[in-house]
Amino acid sequence: MLLADMGADVIKVEDPKQGDYIRWWPPRIGKNSGFHVVLNRNKRSLTLNLKTEEAKSIFRRLVADADVVLEAFARSHGQAGSGL
């Protein structure tokens, strides 16, 4: 959040099956979670199934020019050992 507030181009990669669970937390601002709106301001996001080679290729292209890559993929979601 702070990096995006300071002008960094932040791209959030989410699981296509469920996305960010905070999206569904109350209180709501229209159709969106107030928490999600605040915590993800100034960020871009996309969903990638990182179990596929196509998605891994897309991810690698995105991070090729990145200054920083932060990951929070849960091992239970099968990302460990994915070659990324």
Side-chain angles (χ1 to χ4, degrees):
M1 176 174 68
L2 295 176
L3 292 172
D5 287 347
M6 291 187 279
D9 181 17
V10 176
I11 303 170
K12 183 176 180 181
V13 178
E14 300 180 31
D15 182 333
K17 291 182 182 174
Q18 64 191 34
D20 184 346
Y21 64 91
I22 293 175
R23 287 182 185 274
W24 318 119
W25 283 9
R28 311 288 289 176
I29 298 174
K31 294 181 179 181
N32 302 303
S33 162
F35 286 110
H36 187 267
V37 169
V38 170
L39 295 174
N40 290 286
R41 67 181 179 260
N42 299 323
K43 296 178 186 176
R44 297 186 292 157
S45 66
L46 74 152
T47 61
L48 289 175
N49 178 355
L50 293 173
K51 293 180 182 177
T52 69
E53 288 305 316
E54 180 183 15
K56 288 178 189 180
S57 176
I58 293 167
F59 182 81
R60 287 185 188 107
R61 285 195 310 262
L62 285 170
V63 302
D65 296 323
D67 293 319
V68 177
V69 176
L70 302 173
E71 65 87 14
F73 298 118
R75 289 183 183 269
S76 64
H77 288 198
Q79 302 308 327
S82 67
L84 296 174

